[in-house]
Amino acid sequence: MTSTLTTRSAPPTARPSTVPRRRTRVLALPEARWALSALVLFLVALAGQLLGAPEWVWEPLYVAVYVTGGWEPGLEGLKALKDKTLDVDLLMVVAAIGAAAIGQVLDGALLIVIFATSGALEAVATARTADSVRGLLDLAPATATRLLPGGGEETVAADALAVGDTVLVRPGERVGADGRVLDGASEVDQATITGEPLPAAKAPGDEVFAGTVNGTGALRVRVERDPSDSVIARIVRMVEEASETKAPTQLFIERVEQRYSLVMVAATLALFAVPLALGAALQPTLLRAMTFMIVASPCAVVLATMPPLLSAIANAGRHGVLVKSAVVMERLGQVDAVALDKTGTLTEGTPRVTEVRPLPGSGLDEDALLRLAAAAERPSEHPLARAVVDAAHARGLRVPDAEGFSSTPGLGVTATVEGREVRVGAPARLCPEGHAVVAEVEAEGRTAVAVLADGSPAGVLGLADRLRPGAAEAVGGLTALTGTAPVL
């Protein structure tokens, strides 16, 4: 399917290059608000105590810390106790109250603040994971154009599509479902699925994925997967599962936590009751028992397991890395070999012209060849076209206007430039007999683009991706961590 225009026009629809960002504000989470309140009250009380203010000034503030930071874990602990389970939240609250009972109000308040902050961090990490899920869901369009057997069409919700339906994907639209092209030709931006920055040419028989962006051609697509089983839907489920899985360390701690807590409570009661029965004084006995409970509490062990993993998963998601599960995240520390996909990881994912090769007999030098190619490509929105135009501008060349521009998906573009018919596109289509220069450019790992002037080969452009500034440092760091160089 060919689109033709005589003047330069804007692309049909702007293509979002990244997943929409809809991040939950930290203070929108109640756990974060309570933790912040407890922290502020604690700092004010601590300042008053250190500055020598009367006890009636700072002691009520410490009490407020106990209430704001401890009511939620205390409530959860009581609920667990109702189910005949000794929860670490309840132990934390009891340990904090015990510290206050022996005059260590500051220590108990600090324990409350630490525990509340841990809960807030876990809530934030979970919310960030949910944000990632919502962002992925935004990739899939809400509606699709379904073609009716009688020749008509209707707009339906994308999740209402069924296997066997035929949908029309117009230029610039997102594909509504995973399926196969029945008719039409276009180039589809699949970066959100495959990571490749260059659009993939699609023709009848090719597979397309929900959430990818169609180019300049129209496609008729037969739905082959239920929307709930599309690639995007499966990715979403993987991200959701990440926050629900438990790492081996956490599972081990949960297994021993209940028994350990019971032993600790029994030992605390014994340290208090036995000396009293033998005639010991109440104050030192209570101090000894409460000190043991605070020191032996498993709070620190629990705080050192899942919250850091959740934070790591959320941080990875903010940088575009989806972690399948907490198990996978923990096992990263045992990795001894790393395999990388080059595009978009070690490289920028943006093609650039690295070589201009005019052919003998064309009568063109490098600048003249690049001017013709850039003029023909300027109306196109293809990434390779933008790379050619940018290269001409970088050389300070004046790019003339083109007339009679036409673009054929998967083939290339044609335009009249300064009275000459210029064609730019895939060498396999424009020069089916092949050319030695094309083979040389491709042998060097570059993408070859053929340029024809008035039907005759005029030259070849070589395009390649460029390494990210920190690529060498990243590879060196991975080599040092694993002991072996990454595999590309």
Side-chain angles (χ1 to χ4, degrees):
M1 188 170 293
T2 305
S3 61
T4 305
L5 51 89
T6 56
T7 59
R8 187 178 181 185
S9 63
T13 302
R15 298 178 182 179
S17 58
T18 58
V19 176
R21 309 288 291 194
R22 295 193 297 170
R23 294 183 60 179
T24 301
R25 292 183 298 108
V26 173
L27 292 182
L29 301 171
E31 295 89 347
R33 293 197 298 270
W34 286 116
L36 180 61
S37 300
L39 176 61
V40 171
L41 289 169
F42 176 80
L43 293 176
V44 174
L46 179 62
Q49 184 179 6
L50 294 178
L51 293 174
E55 291 186 3
W56 60 267
V57 172
W58 47 265
E59 276 196 347
L61 295 176
Y62 280 133
V63 174
V65 172
Y66 277 71
V67 174
T68 55
W71 76 267
E72 190 171 16
L75 180 61
E76 293 299 320
L78 291 175
K79 290 179 180 178
L81 192 62
K82 184 179 178 181
D83 297 330
K84 298 180 180 180
T85 301
L86 193 58
D87 191 85
V88 68
D89 292 332
L90 184 61
L91 290 177
M92 183 276 303
V93 174
V94 171
I97 294 175
I102 59 176
Q104 303 299 321
V105 181
L106 188 152
D107 295 338
L110 180 59
L111 182 59
I112 290 285
V113 169
I114 293 174
F115 213 82
T117 302
S118 170
L121 290 175
E122 186 170 347
V124 170
T126 303
R128 291 290 185 257
T129 301
D131 291 342
S132 300
V133 173
R134 285 196 299 270
L136 288 170
L137 289 174
D138 285 340
L139 292 176
T143 60
T145 302
R146 181 165 58 191
L147 299 179
L148 302 175
E153 60 182 54
E154 62 178 351
T155 300
V156 299
D159 56 9
L161 294 173
V163 175
D165 285 348
T166 300
V167 296
L168 174 64
V169 186
R170 294 185 172 88
E173 290 184 344
R174 287 190 178 273
V175 179
D178 288 4
R180 200 164 296 277
V181 177
L182 294 177
D183 184 44
S186 185
E187 291 178 329
V188 178
D189 183 356
Q190 300 183 149
T192 53
I193 300 296
T194 64
E196 286 294 329
L198 298 181
K202 299 295 181 181
D206 291 336
E207 187 177 19
V208 292
F209 305 103
T212 56
V213 182
N214 188 24
T216 56
L219 299 174
R220 286 198 305 119
V221 177
R222 183 180 63 243
V223 178
E224 292 192 339
R225 290 194 191 96
D226 187 90
S228 63
D229 193 41
S230 66
V231 173
I232 284 290
R234 292 203 296 270
I235 293 175
V236 168
R237 284 197 294 271
M238 287 174 58
V239 177
E240 288 176 331
E241 290 169 0
S243 62
E244 298 173 0
T245 55
K246 296 180 179 180
T249 301
Q250 185 189 12
L251 292 173
F252 170 76
I253 290 176
E254 287 183 355
R255 284 197 301 268
V256 302
E257 176 188 341
Q258 184 66 208
R259 297 175 183 175
Y260 178 83
S261 299
L262 290 172
V263 171
M264 190 198 71
V265 170
T268 301
L269 293 175
L271 281 173
F272 180 68
V274 173
L276 281 181
L278 296 177
L282 176 63
Q283 182 69 16
T285 302
L286 179 62
L287 176 62
R288 187 183 304 108
M290 288 298 99
T291 301
F292 173 80
M293 170 173 277
I294 294 171
V295 173
S297 173
C299 302
V301 179
V302 174
L303 294 179
T305 54
M306 199 55 190
L309 282 173
L310 286 173
S311 297
I313 291 173
N315 185 53
R318 286 196 297 273
H319 290 82
V321 179
L322 299 181
V323 180
K324 184 177 180 181
S325 67
V327 176
V328 173
M329 177 61 76
E330 188 175 66
R331 286 180 179 172
L332 278 178
Q334 305 169 7
V335 168
D336 55 12
V338 177
L340 296 174
D341 178 11
K342 173 178 69 67
T343 305
T345 52
L346 296 180
T347 65
E348 295 178 347
T350 303
R352 299 175 185 273
V353 175
T354 59
E355 194 170 0
V356 181
R357 301 279 294 273
L359 298 180
S362 65
L364 301 173
D365 59 14
E366 290 188 8
D367 287 351
L369 175 64
L370 189 57
R371 282 180 71 253
L372 289 178
E377 291 277 27
R378 188 162 63 171
S380 174
E381 292 300 322
H382 195 284
L384 292 182
R386 292 195 291 271
V388 173
V389 175
D390 290 344
H393 289 158
R395 292 195 180 200
L397 303 178
R398 185 189 68 83
V399 179
D401 293 330
E403 299 176 351
F405 172 84
S406 65
S407 173
T408 304
L411 179 59
V413 302
T414 302
T416 301
V417 181
E418 297 179 333
R420 306 181 70 178
E421 183 191 60
V422 179
R423 300 177 67 188
V424 184
R429 302 289 182 90
L430 299 183
C431 306
E433 69 279 0
H435 199 286
V437 176
V438 173
E440 291 176 10
V441 171
E442 292 180 341
E444 294 173 353
R446 299 179 174 88
T447 298
V449 175
V451 182
L452 275 63
D454 294 326
S456 300
V460 177
L461 305 180
L463 293 93
D465 206 348
R466 188 167 65 178
L467 284 176
R468 290 181 181 272
E473 182 181 356
V475 170
L478 290 172
T479 302
L481 286 172
T482 62
T484 57
V487 178
L488 188 62

